[in-house]
Amino acid sequence: MNRPRTAFTLIELLVVISIIALLIGLLLPAVVAAREASRRAKCLNNLKQIALATLNYESAHASLPFGRRTISITPFSPGYPTPCDFTPQLSHTVFAYIWPFLEGNNGYNAFNLTRPYNSRANFTSEAVRTDAYVCPSDTDYVPLTGADVIPFSQASYGSNNGLHEQYLMNWSNTGDIPDPTGQYFQICNQVPGDGVFGTNWCHRLSSIVDGTSNTLLFGETSRFRDEPSGSNFYTNLIGGWWSGPNQVPGTLNDLRITGGATAVPKLNAPRDPGTAVLYDCLGTALYPPDWISVPSCQNYGNMGFRSMHPGGANFALADGSVRFIKDGVSVAAYRAMATRAGSEVVSADQ
């Protein structure tokens, strides 16, 4: 007996397609969340490696590395003709000094710490990518081109510089360096900082009297979430002020520090694409501690920690542990964790 062929009706097909689309819509956020959780875990592991490498350095040398070294004569030597000549600046950071403890011997052995960052002798090493220095959630670095471009590699982490500005300001009273009337004359009036890492200064682990489990060591300094393509100029091997693309006509370029960050700006504070916040913030500060009293400095994200992870950023603490800190963290508690000897009390609910 012949039977009629059965088939799906149009309505049945539409129902099936709708069900499939609904399932995809339900599963896609879960897949995205799972992938982000995996990237965040890898980022935490990177910071764990960086923290352990730094602690191993401290065990080997009885002190933490330079946060940033600019002059080759340290400490200040009165017999040297130009003891505070910053031309050219070395600008090597903690990330260069801990390289051997991260299995980065190839890059470190070719790196000349007595030559400045812009010496061609260091170009090869500065271009070496260290996987532990790159967060998987950070957008891919696009190498800059040009005859005068330093071929630095991508980086997503910075050292904790505390609350003192260490890049544009110094502790001299007269503006002439070295100034014997100012503080830190022995290191050319540079800023040791109240964090774990300073300029031309090596802190000891024993100086972290606030407790190593309550003090930030490293944090994320990835690209900003709203950055345009081609604005890839963060590096952690070189410490200093850097200028990115000009994104606001008639102003200076996007200026930010590299190699480290401070906790004066709020966590994941917005990027200043020009100089409006910069002038309002640093332009009213006379000494590094003064800029913390300027409200606009909280919004100068170019000098702060930031992350591509939603809701906060990953940090490594001075005891070697790692932690995810939310954007809504109390500013007072966040700043307290950035100082090594501020005697602040941070409660668990902060």
Side-chain angles (χ1 to χ4, degrees), residues 19 33 41 53 61 95 109 141 152 165 219 225 236 253 284 286 295 329:
I19 293 174
H61 298 281
F95 295 95
N109 291 336
Y141 168 70
F152 58 77
E165 198 287 304
R225 297 168 188 171
N236 59 8
N253 296 357
T284 56
L286 300 177
V329 62

Side-chain angles (χ1 to χ4, degrees), residues 23-41:
L23 291 175
I24 293 175
L26 293 174
L27 289 174
L28 190 58
V31 172
V32 172
R35 293 182 63 182
E36 171 55 27
S38 176
R39 289 192 293 263
R40 196 169 83 176

Side-chain angles (χ1 to χ4, degrees), residues 123-143:
F123 279 10
T124 300
S125 293
E126 288 168 346
V128 173
R129 175 189 169 98
T130 302
D131 288 340
Y133 288 165
V134 183
C135 171
S137 290
D138 203 353
T139 52
D140 289 336
Y141 168 70
V142 179

Side-chain angles (χ1 to χ4, degrees), residues 154-227:
Q154 183 177 0
S156 307
Y157 307 107
S159 60
N160 169 30
N161 293 346
L163 306 178
H164 293 174
E165 198 287 304
Q166 302 184 20
Y167 293 84
L168 290 181
M169 301 177 184
N170 58 65
W171 291 84
S172 67
N173 291 322
T174 63
D176 296 326
I177 302 175
D179 177 11
T181 68
Q183 297 186 53
Y184 307 112
F185 170 66
Q186 74 277 17
I187 55 170
C188 301
N189 306 111
Q190 295 299 286
V191 185
D194 56 355
V196 179
F197 298 99
T199 298
N200 295 329
W201 192 270
C202 296
H203 296 291
R204 296 182 183 274
L205 201 61
S206 58
S207 69
I208 307 177
V209 297
D210 286 349
T212 55
S213 62
N214 295 322
T215 305
L216 302 177
L217 194 65
F218 296 96
E220 290 189 77
T221 49
S222 66
R223 293 181 63 221
F224 288 94
R225 297 168 188 171
D226 66 338
E227 278 195 68

Side-chain angles (χ1 to χ4, degrees), residues 166-328:
Q166 302 184 20
Y167 293 84
L168 290 181
M169 301 177 184
N170 58 65
W171 291 84
S172 67
N173 291 322
T174 63
D176 296 326
I177 302 175
D179 177 11
T181 68
Q183 297 186 53
Y184 307 112
F185 170 66
Q186 74 277 17
I187 55 170
C188 301
N189 306 111
Q190 295 299 286
V191 185
D194 56 355
V196 179
F197 298 99
T199 298
N200 295 329
W201 192 270
C202 296
H203 296 291
R204 296 182 183 274
L205 201 61
S206 58
S207 69
I208 307 177
V209 297
D210 286 349
T212 55
S213 62
N214 295 322
T215 305
L216 302 177
L217 194 65
F218 296 96
E220 290 189 77
T221 49
S222 66
R223 293 181 63 221
F224 288 94
R225 297 168 188 171
D226 66 338
E227 278 195 68
S229 59
S231 181
N232 301 290
F233 58 93
Y234 189 84
T235 176
N236 59 8
L237 293 176
I238 306 170
W241 276 94
W242 290 84
S243 175
N246 191 326
Q247 297 160 28
V248 179
T251 69
L252 292 176
N253 296 357
D254 181 350
L255 300 173
R256 73 187 68 178
I257 61 174
T258 59
T262 81
V264 171
K266 294 178 294 186
L267 179 58
N268 277 320
R271 174 181 60 98
D272 179 16
T275 55
V277 182
L278 171 66
Y279 287 154
D280 192 23
C281 176
L282 299 184
T284 56
L286 300 177
Y287 273 110
D290 288 347
W291 75 311
I292 196 172
S293 64
V294 184
S296 60
C297 290
Q298 288 192 16
N299 297 317
Y300 191 56
N302 302 39
M303 297 184 71
F305 292 102
R306 65 264 178 184
S307 170
M308 298 294 286
H309 304 297
N314 291 321
F315 287 86
L317 280 70
D319 63 350
S321 63
V322 290
R323 184 178 304 176
F324 183 79
I325 297 180
K326 296 181 180 179
D327 289 338

Side-chain angles (χ1 to χ4, degrees), residues 88-104:
Q89 292 195 33
L90 297 179
S91 293
H92 305 316
T93 71
V94 53
F95 295 95
Y97 293 103
I98 66 172
W99 239 353
F101 300 91
L102 275 171
E103 298 182 356

